[in-house]
Amino acid sequence: MSFEYTYIDSPVGKLLLVGQNEVLHYLSFPSGKMHFQPEPGWQYNPATLSKAKGQLDAYFAGQLKQFSLAIAPNGSAFQMQVLAALQFIPYGQVRSYKDIAQTIGRPQSMRAVGAANGRNPIPLIIPCHRVIGADGSLTGFGGGVDTKAFLLRLEGAIH
């Protein structure tokens, strides 16, 4: 599959956006355990994913609360269930891994939910940053816990 990629400056650093035909497939933060670089064969195109860049700019400016983008996440059937559930967490709110496990009808699968959440290929757009520990702790995040805290403060979910 031939992907195009571009970058966008944000308050949390330069984000890498990867897609095909204006459909977003991947987003990478500048650091954290899920950070990645463009792969050989991907084509740099600064004009690609313009709608995603515009919506991200509006989000970081506090003017957008819900993304409306063509996205194509990938993963196992279970991961896709988790990613679908994440998209229903409203802006400015948080849910626990237990909440997500219950939402998808797998109440004992908190750890598996955490693992699927951690493999989210399109973080921020699919709001995995809105999932926290049952005790309110800001557990891991692919873009780093500091980035997670920034995003939740931006949304007013934490102070």
Side-chain angles (χ1 to χ4, degrees):
M1 184 174 289
S2 176
F3 287 116
E4 290 186 327
Y5 69 94
T6 190
Y7 294 95
I8 180 175
D9 289 323
S10 82
V12 295
K14 193 172 284 213
L15 305 179
L16 170 65
L17 306 177
V18 183
Q20 185 178 49
N21 300 324
E22 293 299 315
V23 177
L24 185 64
H25 288 254
Y26 301 101
L27 184 151
S28 179
F29 287 97
S31 61
K33 66 181 174 83
M34 293 298 290
H35 166 76
F36 62 88
Q37 296 290 332
E39 292 186 7
W42 292 1
Q43 299 297 311
Y44 176 67
N45 179 353
T48 196
L49 299 166
S50 58
K51 186 174 181 184
K53 290 192 287 190
Q55 287 192 22
L56 284 162
D57 283 340
Y59 169 83
F60 285 117
Q63 300 166 343
L64 182 80
K65 296 188 181 347
Q66 185 168 346
F67 292 98
S68 175
L69 296 171
I71 59 173
N74 58 26
S76 69
F78 179 80
Q79 289 169 324
M80 297 303 284
Q81 265 191 305
V82 171
L83 296 178
L86 297 178
Q87 294 179 67
F88 289 99
I89 305 172
Y91 180 96
Q93 295 186 27
V94 293
R95 299 289 185 272
S96 70
Y97 295 98
K98 182 178 182 178
D99 293 334
I100 301 301
Q102 290 173 334
T103 296
I104 65 169
R106 306 270 303 265
Q108 302 304 314
S109 301
M110 281 111 37
R111 287 184 185 203
V113 164
N117 196 58
R119 287 191 208 95
N120 178 2
I122 314 173
L124 184 56
I125 307 300
I126 299 175
C128 56
H129 63 282
R130 297 179 187 153
V131 182
I132 61 173
D135 62 359
S137 62
L138 300 186
T139 55
F141 179 63
V145 175
D146 289 345
T147 298
K148 181 175 190 163
F150 175 86
L151 297 173
L152 292 174
R153 278 194 301 276
L154 175 71
E155 295 183 9
I158 64 170
H159 302 288

